Amino acid sequence: MQVQTVTIREATENDLEAIIALFADDPLGGHGDTNDPQALPDYRAAFRKIATSPNETLFVAERDGEVVGTFQTMVTTTLTARGASALIIEAVQTRADMRGRGIGAAMIGFAVEKARESGMRLVQLTSNAVRTDAHRFYERLGFSPSHIGFKMKLK
Amino acid sequence: MQVQTVTIREATENDLEAIIALFADDPLGGHGDTNDPQALPDYRAAFRKIATSPNETLFVAERDGEVVGTFQTMVTTTLTARGASALIIEAVQTRADMRGRGIGAAMIGFAVEKARESGMRLVQLTSNAVRTDAHRFYERLGFSPSHIGFKMKLK
């Protein structure tokens, strides 16, 4: 039961390069992420924005002292549903050689539990339409594919 | 060209009951929104949360002095795409008797322009899978239905 050895904790700036490596290794994302040291200042600036945002939190999954996964949460309040709050999960990534070991389930489960404890109405996320494995994963965890996620790239 | 008479501006607490009326009138949303005065304190609390959130802004579309539409924006930064920022649009609603007059396009266009001016990489939103009219609308505005939106209701 290797999943039991996974720790989910808030990321620190010391985790930054390990987290970037997870995104740089993603063949499907197509977000242009890279371990190139020249890009590090951009990532560092983004890390600090997230760290100082009251609504956003960046997490890592750690196993045997190594970062093996990451995700980010954002709390949002809308007037709909009588002014309910929801938790949005973004930028979920598990290290390629660590898939199928329950790390993703541990990360998402952690986020859902946090939302439940805070009395939120909803947890939501979007997943690229081509990631059919991820879709099965989210449905297994109790998510419903009830919406279409529309994106417009500006650059 | 009635669209030219639409003003998009940040909502104030004086708009609250008009905005709630828009959501209460939505037959598809199923969010349990209501004009019942007993629910007003919940909406007021949510309005104040949004108003004091540095990342979130609530807007109304006004026409001849009346609130005819609303939407909310949220700025989010993730490490992906070298630490890019994105604008999430939520809780979009046009008054039922005002549809087909370009009010929705004016609201979404306003949000996209704001995101572009701020140098954001992406604008994103989710739309209930049953709202096929809305899907055509977003595609016409240049959005791509590239993702699946997963939701898990907690209560």
Side-chain angles (χ1 to χ4, degrees):
Chain A
M1 285 298 291
Q2 280 157 312
V3 62
Q4 294 177 338
T5 70
V6 174
T7 306
I8 314 291
R9 61 168 173 82
E10 201 169 328
T12 72
E13 202 158 333
N14 290 334
D15 299 313
L16 189 54
E17 291 183 58
I19 300 171
I20 298 165
L22 298 178
F23 294 125
D25 196 39
D26 179 2
L28 272 184
H31 297 135
D33 287 299
T34 170
N35 293 311
D36 184 339
Q38 292 203 331
L40 194 55
D42 288 348
Y43 286 112
R44 202 173 294 281
F47 179 89
R48 288 173 184 170
K49 264 193 209 172
I50 300 165
T52 56
S53 164
N55 302 342
E56 293 169 288
T57 313
L58 179 66
F59 292 93
V60 289
E62 199 173 47
R63 188 175 170 277
D64 296 336
E66 283 187 6
V67 169
V68 294
T70 183
F71 66 103
Q72 183 171 331
T73 61
M74 187 175 11
V75 177
T76 175
T77 301
T78 56
L79 293 180
T80 48
R82 298 192 179 203
S85 290
L87 192 74
I88 301 179
I89 302 175
E90 289 200 317
V92 181
Q93 194 80 33
T94 300
R95 210 171 80 188
D97 63 337
M98 287 285 162
R99 301 216 173 115
R101 302 184 189 213
I103 293 165
M107 294 194 295
I108 301 300
F110 181 95
V112 169
E113 198 43 48
K114 175 184 149 129
R116 204 184 296 272
E117 280 170 9
S118 307
M120 292 184 199
R121 178 177 163 270
L122 195 72
V123 182
Q124 62 184 76
L125 57 92
T126 66
S127 179
N128 193 308
V130 303
R131 297 190 196 258
T132 49
D133 285 357
H135 304 167
R136 280 191 292 272
F137 166 74
Y138 290 121
E139 291 200 58
R140 226 164 36 230
L141 294 180
F143 285 85
S144 164
S146 56
H147 285 63
I148 311 289
F150 288 90
K151 312 251 174 180
M152 185 195 288
K153 282 194 184 165
L154 300 179
K155 59 182 184 186
Chain B
M1 286 297 290
Q2 281 157 311
V3 62
Q4 293 176 342
T5 68
V6 174
T7 306
I8 314 289
R9 62 168 173 78
E10 200 169 328
T12 72
E13 202 158 332
N14 290 333
D15 300 313
L16 189 54
E17 291 183 58
I19 301 172
I20 298 165
L22 297 177
F23 294 126
D25 197 39
D26 178 2
L28 271 184
H31 296 135
D33 286 301
T34 172
N35 293 311
D36 184 340
Q38 292 204 330
L40 194 56
D42 288 348
Y43 287 112
R44 201 173 296 281
F47 179 89
R48 289 174 183 170
K49 264 194 208 171
I50 300 164
T52 56
S53 165
N55 302 341
E56 293 169 288
T57 313
L58 180 66
F59 292 94
V60 290
E62 198 173 48
R63 187 174 172 277
D64 296 336
E66 283 187 7
V67 169
V68 293
T70 184
F71 66 103
Q72 183 170 331
T73 61
M74 186 177 10
V75 178
T76 176
T77 301
T78 55
L79 293 179
T80 47
R82 297 190 182 208
S85 290
L87 193 74
I88 301 179
I89 302 176
E90 289 200 318
V92 182
Q93 194 82 31
T94 300
R95 210 171 80 187
D97 62 338
M98 287 285 164
R99 302 220 171 112
R101 302 183 187 213
I103 292 165
M107 294 195 295
I108 301 299
F110 181 97
V112 169
E113 199 41 50
K114 174 186 150 130
R116 206 185 296 275
E117 280 170 8
S118 307
M120 292 184 200
R121 177 176 164 270
L122 193 74
V123 182
Q124 62 185 75
L125 58 91
T126 66
S127 179
N128 194 307
V130 303
R131 297 189 195 261
T132 50
D133 286 357
H135 303 168
R136 281 191 292 272
F137 165 75
Y138 289 121
E139 291 199 60
R140 228 164 36 232
L141 294 179
F143 285 85
S144 164
S146 57
H147 285 62
I148 311 290
F150 289 89
K151 312 250 175 182
M152 186 196 290
K153 282 193 186 166
L154 300 180
K155 58 182 184 184

